[in-house]
Amino acid sequence: MSKKIAVVLTDYFEDSEYTEPAKAFKDAGHQLTVIEKEKGKTLKGKQGEAQVETDASIDEVSPADFDALLIPGGFSPDILRADQRFVSFAKSFMDDKKPVFAICHGPQLLITAKALDGRGATGYTSIQVDLENAGVKFKDEEVVVCQNQLVTSRTPDDIPAFTRESLKLLG
Amino acid sequence: MSKKIAVVLTDYFEDSEYTEPAKAFKDAGHQLTVIEKEKGKTLKGKQGEAQVETDASIDEVSPADFDALLIPGGFSPDILRADQRFVSFAKSFMDDKKPVFAICHGPQLLITAKALDGRGATGYTSIQVDLENAGVKFKDEEVVVCQNQLVTSRTPDDIPAFTRESLKLLG
């Protein structure tokens, strides 16, 4: 069944960590909504490869409109987590046990949402200590699926495993 | 007396958080050494305003060669803290109680060095929870000086207070 997936994204995202999961999700029949501060803005990836137009402003969406959440990495999550609207939005998916897919620096948004204590997860090397300090059981593995709800991966190399496990949860 | 200041820096640094403290330190007669993975590389600031040539490779310097450490912000500290050589380098200054000046995302490197537990500090909004989880008493102030050794600030707006307190510690 087609699911509605929210993507929280801004400039400096890691290009392939948006484009590849997005393609896999769309190919499987799911619908994506790219959410930033502004609607209709063109976001640029950190590598200069991908450009993405935003579908909605964070002010006009509700977590209730979506079945799952994707948080691509790069420097985008660090920028988003300085904005309480994105922190609250992500927290809601975690609280409601909806599927959340976070790769590379993606889990930074979940750290600020204080949603990771006691969870198993992975992430990019630079945020390992932050994850551990947030109460995460850190695993240096290509993909970690926690409680059939939270999917995390480390780097672009892990994208195949990340999309495979995410698609399983989307059903 | 002229002091030797190590600066750990890489691409995507917040331009003014290097250029303005660097100018203030040089104007006061201190010597700066910009350290990256490679010597003689031209680093580019995140805002596209500043370009900095590196003076030394991390492999050819020792903390013993320097009196103090400057960690400018932007995305540079996140990149540096994924490299254990920079983590160990920064940890040494903290262990030896030499002056350490970290602005914006700069404290991320000190989090990974596990050098902040019980210290008073500040930093950019996005890393507040990481700092608190690392045992920091977070203060939302333009500059925090902890134990006459660690100087931290939040954003480019705080640079005047940051350089003023850093220069005091350099004597």
Side-chain angles (χ1 to χ4, degrees):
Chain A
M1 204 183 78
S2 175
K3 297 284 174 67
K4 292 180 180 170
I5 304 168
V7 187
V8 285
L9 201 73
T10 193
D11 289 315
Y12 296 107
F13 65 91
E14 186 67 44
D15 307 54
S16 62
E17 290 173 358
Y18 166 75
T19 57
E20 294 186 26
K23 182 179 185 308
F25 294 163
K26 286 176 188 169
D27 286 351
H30 304 299
Q31 298 171 48
L32 268 71
T33 302
V34 176
I35 300 161
E36 209 249 11
K37 275 187 304 182
E38 290 174 43
K39 180 179 177 172
K41 182 175 167 188
T42 302
L43 305 178
K44 293 179 185 170
K46 179 169 155 263
Q47 310 293 346
E49 293 162 6
Q51 294 204 347
V52 183
E53 191 170 345
T54 62
D55 299 308
S57 157
I58 186 71
D59 292 322
E60 63 187 4
V61 292
S62 160
D65 302 334
F66 301 98
D67 303 304
L69 173 68
L70 170 65
I71 316 173
F75 299 129
S76 164
D78 178 81
I79 298 169
L80 296 176
R81 72 176 175 152
D83 185 328
Q84 190 57 42
R85 295 171 296 178
F86 291 92
V87 175
S88 301
F89 188 79
K91 185 177 187 305
S92 182
F93 286 82
M94 292 296 288
D95 287 348
D96 294 345
K97 310 287 184 210
K98 290 181 183 173
V100 173
F101 317 129
I103 183 165
C104 195
H105 289 77
Q108 286 184 319
L109 186 59
L110 305 176
I111 290 174
T112 304
K114 301 186 178 178
L116 292 181
D117 192 19
R119 308 298 294 258
T122 194
Y124 185 59
T125 307
S126 69
I127 67 166
Q128 179 173 343
V129 171
D130 296 334
L131 286 168
E132 288 170 345
N133 287 343
V136 167
K137 294 162 195 156
F138 186 89
K139 297 176 190 180
D140 190 12
E141 297 171 7
E142 62 178 2
V143 65
V144 177
V145 183
C146 177
Q147 295 170 2
N148 219 26
Q149 184 243 338
L150 174 65
V151 180
T152 52
S153 285
R154 302 167 302 188
T155 73
D157 289 344
D158 302 330
I159 292 171
F162 179 69
T163 53
R164 182 189 69 228
E165 297 303 320
S166 299
L167 283 168
K168 271 190 207 168
L169 289 195
L170 290 170
Chain B
M1 204 183 78
S2 174
K3 296 284 174 66
K4 291 179 180 172
I5 304 167
V7 187
V8 285
L9 201 73
T10 193
D11 289 315
Y12 297 106
F13 65 90
E14 185 67 44
D15 307 55
S16 63
E17 292 174 356
Y18 165 75
T19 57
E20 294 187 26
K23 183 177 186 306
F25 295 164
K26 285 176 189 169
D27 286 351
H30 303 299
Q31 298 171 49
L32 266 72
T33 303
V34 176
I35 301 162
E36 209 249 10
K37 276 190 302 182
E38 290 175 43
K39 179 181 176 171
K41 184 175 167 189
T42 302
L43 304 178
K44 291 177 187 171
K46 179 169 157 264
Q47 309 293 348
E49 294 162 5
Q51 295 204 346
V52 183
E53 190 168 346
T54 61
D55 298 308
S57 159
I58 186 72
D59 292 322
E60 63 185 4
V61 292
S62 161
D65 302 334
F66 301 99
D67 302 305
L69 174 67
L70 170 65
I71 315 172
F75 299 129
S76 164
D78 179 81
I79 299 170
L80 296 175
R81 72 175 178 154
D83 185 329
Q84 191 55 43
R85 295 172 297 178
F86 291 92
V87 175
S88 300
F89 189 80
K91 183 176 187 308
S92 182
F93 286 83
M94 292 296 287
D95 287 348
D96 294 346
K97 310 285 184 210
K98 290 179 183 174
V100 172
F101 317 129
I103 182 163
C104 195
H105 290 77
Q108 286 184 317
L109 187 58
L110 306 175
I111 291 174
T112 304
K114 301 186 177 178
L116 291 182
D117 191 19
R119 307 299 295 257
T122 193
Y124 184 60
T125 308
S126 70
I127 67 167
Q128 178 173 344
V129 171
D130 296 335
L131 286 168
E132 288 170 345
N133 287 342
V136 166
K137 293 163 195 155
F138 186 89
K139 297 176 190 180
D140 190 12
E141 297 171 5
E142 62 177 3
V143 64
V144 177
V145 183
C146 177
Q147 294 169 2
N148 219 28
Q149 184 242 339
L150 174 65
V151 180
T152 51
S153 286
R154 301 167 304 189
T155 73
D157 289 344
D158 301 330
I159 291 173
F162 180 68
T163 53
R164 181 189 70 227
E165 296 304 321
S166 299
L167 283 169
K168 271 190 206 167
L169 288 194
L170 289 169

